Amino acid sequence: MDVQKHTRRRFLTGSAGATLGAAAVGTAAGMQLPHKGTASAAPSPTHHTPSIIPFFGAHQPGIADPTPTNAAFLAFDLKTSTVKSDLVDVMRAWTGLAAALMRGDTSADTSLVSTGSTPGKFTMTVGLGGAALDQLGIKRPPALVDLPLFPGDELEVAASHGAVFVQLCSDDAIYLGGAVRAVRAAAKRVLRPRWQMNGFRGAAASTASSNGRNLMGQIDGTNNIAVSRASTGGPVWGDAVSPAWMTGGSYVVVRRFRMFLSKWESAGSSTRDSAVGRHIPSGAPLRAHKESDRST
């Protein structure tokens, strides 16, 4: 078998794929939306404990925080009659909900699913897709463009795109399930659910000092960018950008792939190493010995 003809894409397909690009809004996001009253956020910052991540900060939580064990990604469409003030109401409701759930207050979860559970480093991150901005007559940031169709993609339209994006993370799957219900309930008057995708990592993901493996056996996250919520600018945070409401924000791209694991596992170790460009057992680049070694 000629291993040079195999790439990781040959073992992946977008046939069940979702594709979405969204702007995780910055602290000045309200400048583009009409103000009415005050946001129902928590009245004061929460002290950090092992299971609680602070809600308040220069940037949204869930971007530079420890890798969670479980995650849920939700996409919504705006209902046809939705106007800016409607979206303001949803954002205010979600602000209060996120602040409460992140400090362990599950009273907003009327499903009672999360009652008795701990936050497990719960975070909630919200982004606006180009479709939302277009419908509301708000100019898109230059970087927020619709993703093109990539080679091999067989996208399901109903499982792709979306106007509003929400990322929910927690080490406690039950707490996360209750949060999903609460987020949907708070937005049902204005937003229509489009798709949901769930993800997971190993149980030690949020505390381990090394990168974990994905279902292809590959060490995942080797070249992830190191960033903190206290930093500004750089490759992650929008700093002094246009429009002003993106300052302190970021961007997210979601892609879903179907893995052909049986084909992958039967391909042979040399083929898998060549497809990834790294030795699967160690995570080291080809012709290297350690995961942290530079590619040659």
Side-chain angles (χ1 to χ4, degrees):
M1 182 180 292
D2 185 353
V3 300
Q4 297 302 318
K5 294 182 180 180
H6 287 78
T7 66
R8 182 167 49 177
R9 180 168 288 276
R10 291 193 58 174
F11 300 96
L12 302 170
T13 180
S15 60
T19 174
L20 172 143
V25 296
T27 55
M31 294 176 63
Q32 282 291 323
L33 299 172
H35 294 277
K36 181 177 67 176
T38 57
S40 54
S44 60
T46 302
H47 295 294
H48 181 75
T49 69
S51 67
I52 294 177
I53 290 177
F55 172 74
F56 295 92
H59 308 288
Q60 285 201 68
I63 299 175
D65 293 303
T67 304
T69 306
N70 306 285
F73 307 95
L74 313 177
F76 298 85
D77 290 326
L78 302 185
K79 293 185 178 180
T80 305
S81 59
T82 298
V83 295
K84 290 182 181 179
S85 59
D86 294 326
L87 188 57
V88 167
D89 291 340
V90 172
M91 292 301 175
R92 285 203 175 93
W94 278 354
T95 297
L97 177 63
L101 288 172
M102 285 183 62
R103 67 175 184 266
D105 178 359
T106 62
S107 59
D109 175 17
T110 57
S111 72
L112 303 182
V113 172
S114 60
T115 302
S117 299
T118 58
K121 300 177 182 176
F122 174 83
T123 60
M124 177 172 169
T125 314
V126 178
L128 298 178
L133 302 180
D134 295 345
Q135 183 172 333
L136 297 176
I138 300 173
K139 185 178 179 180
R140 294 191 188 196
L144 184 57
V145 298
D146 295 331
L147 295 178
L149 191 68
F150 293 95
D153 279 356
E154 299 176 18
L155 301 181
E156 296 179 0
V157 175
S160 300
H161 314 300
V164 179
F165 172 76
V166 180
Q167 172 189 283
L168 304 171
C169 301
S170 177
D171 289 337
D172 189 313
I174 297 299
Y175 200 92
L176 184 65
V180 169
R181 299 284 292 275
V183 166
R184 290 187 183 278
K188 64 181 180 180
R189 182 182 67 84
V190 176
L191 304 180
R192 182 173 56 251
R194 185 175 180 90
W195 54 261
Q196 176 176 338
M197 180 168 62
N198 300 324
F200 62 89
R201 288 173 62 89
S206 64
T207 57
S209 58
S210 58
N211 295 312
R213 295 183 185 271
N214 59 29
L215 293 181
M216 299 178 78
Q218 171 192 359
I219 294 178
D220 213 347
T222 299
N223 290 324
N224 282 356
I225 299 170
V227 65
S228 77
R229 285 179 71 186
S231 61
T232 58
V236 174
W237 306 121
D239 190 15
V241 295
S242 178
W245 58 265
M246 268 304 297
T247 298
S250 191
Y251 291 90
V252 60
V253 175
V254 177
R255 295 270 291 161
R256 178 188 291 160
F257 296 93
R258 175 178 292 156
M259 300 179 182
F260 295 104
L261 294 179
S262 295
K263 292 182 179 180
W264 174 253
E265 291 160 3
S266 64
S269 59
S270 60
T271 298
R272 296 197 301 270
D273 288 354
S274 177
V276 173
R278 290 178 174 270
H279 297 292
I280 299 294
S282 66
L286 299 181
R287 296 175 296 279
H289 302 284
K290 297 184 298 183
E291 181 187 355
S292 57
D293 288 346
R294 291 182 176 274
S295 300
T296 58

